[in-house]
Amino acid sequence: MKWDIRKIKEWKFYEHPQGITIPEAGNAHYYPTGSWRSQRPEINWDKCTHCLFCFIYCPDSSIIVKGEKVVGIDLAHCKGCGVCAEECPKQAIEMLKERV
Amino acid sequence: MSKALALTGNGACAFAMRQINPDVVAAYPITPQTTIVEEFSSYVADGLVDTELICVESEHSAMSSCIGASAAGVRVMTATSSQGLALMWEMLYIASGLRLPIVMHNVNRTLSAPINIHCDHSDSMGARDSGWIQIYSENAQEAYDNTIQAVRIAEDPKVRLPVMVLLDGFVISHAIDRVEVIDDEVVKSFIGDFKPIYPLLDWENPVTVGSFDGLYGYFFETKRMQAEVMERAKMVIKKVGNDYGKVSGRSYGFFEAYRLDDAEVGIIVLGSTAGTAKVVVDNLRDKGIPVGLLKLRVFRPFPLVEIVEALNHLKALAVLDRADSIGSFGGPLFTEIRSSLYDLSMRPLVVNYIYGLGGRDIDELQIMKVFSDLQDIQETGQAKKAINYLGVRE
Amino acid sequence: MASLRELAKKKNLLTGGHRLCAGCGASITIRQVLLASNYPLVCGVATGCLEVSTTIYPYTAWRCSYIHTAFESVAATISGVEAAYRALKKKGKIEREMKFIAFGGDGGTYDIGFQALSGALERGHRMLYVCYDNQAYMNTGIQRSGATPLGAWTTTTPAGKVIPGKPNWRKDLTACVVAHNIPYVAQASPSHWKDLVSKVEKALETDGPTFINILAPCPRGWRYPESKTIKMAKLAVDSCFWPLYEVEEGKYKLNYQPKEKKPVVEWLQLQGRFKHLFKPENQAILEKFQANVDKAWENLLALAQKT
């Protein structure tokens, strides 16, 4: 985190950037949305062919790809919509009920 | 080196714009502002400026484009009038809320209906709460001088607010006047370079401009900050007015106090009417009557302390408003002036004259009438009528 | 044309942590658009779901420069940014090639922002305008827009006892934009990501204004389970309700012709907003809907053949 906002709720009016411009690009990355989830995608690695359809269709940029291969799900951000499971041509993703 | 030219008010504004050489101008024509855009367009067409001119399809888009360009990190200007300013309304608040130093001429014209193209201050007075600095001009010379100062004021790092330079439609905009202009090079060094804080075009440091204050609630803080910088702007306006005096021989403050020091009664006006009022003041002074005038130049930020100091010795004061605030207790200038004087233990009696709506002429006789009313008030110690309409058929 | 493997290596310009709904078609669309770019971008966004959900202060999901001003003003705002860029480029103060994209929903594009869009296209700014069309004012809670199809339930065109949903057909915005004679206009769908990405690539390489209208299904507003977003987009394409085509310098090209044109009811029946149309008394609306789709499709085929 380049822009330290941990104490932002205590900031005085003159401490905010001009026009509440956000000076750090993409810092929503530090904002978790995983708690929205009621179901969680689970990848069956035996079936996965790394076609990356899940990557291109994920609304939350939550498919982690490394070196052309799917390596996991970013559960801090995945909202559990299930689009990846629905679109997987090999049915390699299963939506499991999230533990509460 | 300065030289004198014969220019219309709009011509003087366009001339100043040429010297400022803004990076982007986005504008839309409207009477009586049109000739500013026309003349500036000819400077663009002749290669006398480097400006990217965007001939937008509405004033709403004019201000939207100005906001985009200013946020991108360049110097931006525009001009409008009346319905055009009204159409920009929404964007005026966004320009000031994002703290973008856009400079705009508003050639004062009334608002429809009935449709009317002539001067009053209904348009800019309606925008008085939009967070823009407002500087009014008495004549073409002041419109020119204010334009150049506006750039320095808007872009000062302590301010970063948009500035509206006001001039009266037709009375100033279309009348040819003697205007002393300063050299291009002097203007250039006076305004300096624009240094943006969070430019969108700094691709190595991407920023999000215009974020949404939806859930946590920092909106109030941003407004409080705007109030703070508007207050700070007073210092800057004063300093820029002084500095401008050094390069042009014409210094500026928040207002001009004309034969006011030893006056017993006075009037306060904005814009071109001050010229007519000065003639009346001189005539009455010749007869030994102690009258004076305060011509307010800076309406936003409102120079409260200085105004009170200039007016507190008067016995009676008339505020001339070239705009009505229908349903309110008097015109917008009146309510603010009268309220400013409230804390004084000995304060002048203050009355309001709403005049000149839709370009209705105001002449010496009408202003004489105001002064004679004021003398009555001074003698009797009471004002019969607080709100008066001057020059209307009633 | 980049493969998925190549796209996955690129910097993701819209991070997770935005607050768009689960299964949102707009965020899939925007991700695909952004992945197509090889340049530093300035993106403008009109007021709407995308704007409010991705830039909640102090967080932004945007990794490129971003500006929002108002609802109807994104085309004009990006015009200003692009003009500022030209001004600096002319003076040699900026070297790097940059691109400018305006995003608007259907409300901000078909309706309230239409004038600003038209003006910006006519002036010839070098910008791409992307409309993410979810067929109603979703941000304010599903009100009808100029993009809402015939018969659809929305909160301002409820399926009432007398009036069964929206009485009007939708505006053909893509055709309106084509009439501006700009160098590149296209229609795309996130279900056909390859087609979408190559259209964005093409648009960004074009010298002049470009426009892409993209169908962005909305689980909340269309009333379907959130996992079906891509299915919804695909059925809209396969039923020829949302044909994929492009118009390059006035020349029409159909990018995808379904092997078998599906009846539009196959798309409609999966969406709660059209549920009432399946009552016997509303049979005529369904027929009219199909007739409208057929007519538009035939027109498009003719245009693609003619030009």
Side-chain angles (χ1 to χ4, degrees), chain B residues 23 50 52 90 200 208 212, chain C residues 55 60 72 86 90-91:
Chain B
D23 297 295
D50 306 307
E52 287 293 329
E90 178 188 30
L200 292 170
T208 288
F212 175 56
Chain C
T55 62
T60 179
E72 68 277 56
R86 273 188 283 126
K90 195 162 65 184
K91 289 177 185 166

Side-chain angles (χ1 to χ4, degrees), chain C residues 126-283:
Chain C
R126 198 169 170 173
M127 60 182 263
L128 163 62
Y129 192 108
V130 171
C131 174
Y132 67 98
D133 179 356
N134 53 27
Q135 304 193 324
Y137 291 87
M138 299 311 185
N139 190 42
T140 42
I142 323 166
Q143 291 81 34
R144 65 89 88 188
S145 77
T148 306
L150 176 75
W153 162 91
T154 68
T155 57
T156 50
T157 55
K161 291 189 181 113
V162 180
I163 308 168
K166 192 189 176 202
N168 330 84
W169 189 236
R170 52 183 285 280
K171 185 191 287 185
D172 186 351
L173 179 70
T174 312
C176 298
V177 172
V178 170
H180 286 74
N181 292 317
I182 59 170
Y184 187 75
V185 183
Q187 239 178 225
S189 161
S191 53
H192 297 66
W193 60 268
K194 203 168 200 164
D195 176 71
L196 189 154
V197 168
S198 67
K199 281 171 176 166
V200 175
E201 284 175 345
K202 207 181 243 183
L204 291 178
E205 293 304 330
T206 302
D207 186 10
T210 55
F211 176 89
I212 307 179
N213 200 0
I214 308 179
L215 188 70
C218 169
R220 293 285 306 131
W222 294 14
R223 301 301 203 219
Y224 66 82
E226 58 208 24
S227 60
K228 306 280 185 197
T229 293
I230 294 301
K231 288 273 173 313
M232 286 300 152
K234 193 163 188 313
L235 267 174
V237 173
D238 283 336
S239 63
C240 300
F241 172 86
W242 193 263
L244 306 182
Y245 69 101
E246 61 192 345
V247 185
E248 219 174 331
E249 301 293 353
K251 208 175 150 28
Y252 280 76
K253 187 181 170 194
L254 202 60
N255 305 109
Y256 173 80
Q257 197 151 3
K259 284 188 197 81
E260 174 207 0
K261 180 173 171 239
K262 295 200 166 141
V264 80
V265 289
E266 287 192 23
W267 180 57
L268 303 180
Q269 71 194 2
L270 299 176
Q271 304 173 50
R273 63 175 173 158
F274 296 115
K275 196 171 64 185
H276 56 285
L277 299 186
F278 292 88
K279 290 179 186 164
E281 65 267 30
N282 291 330
Q283 179 62 29

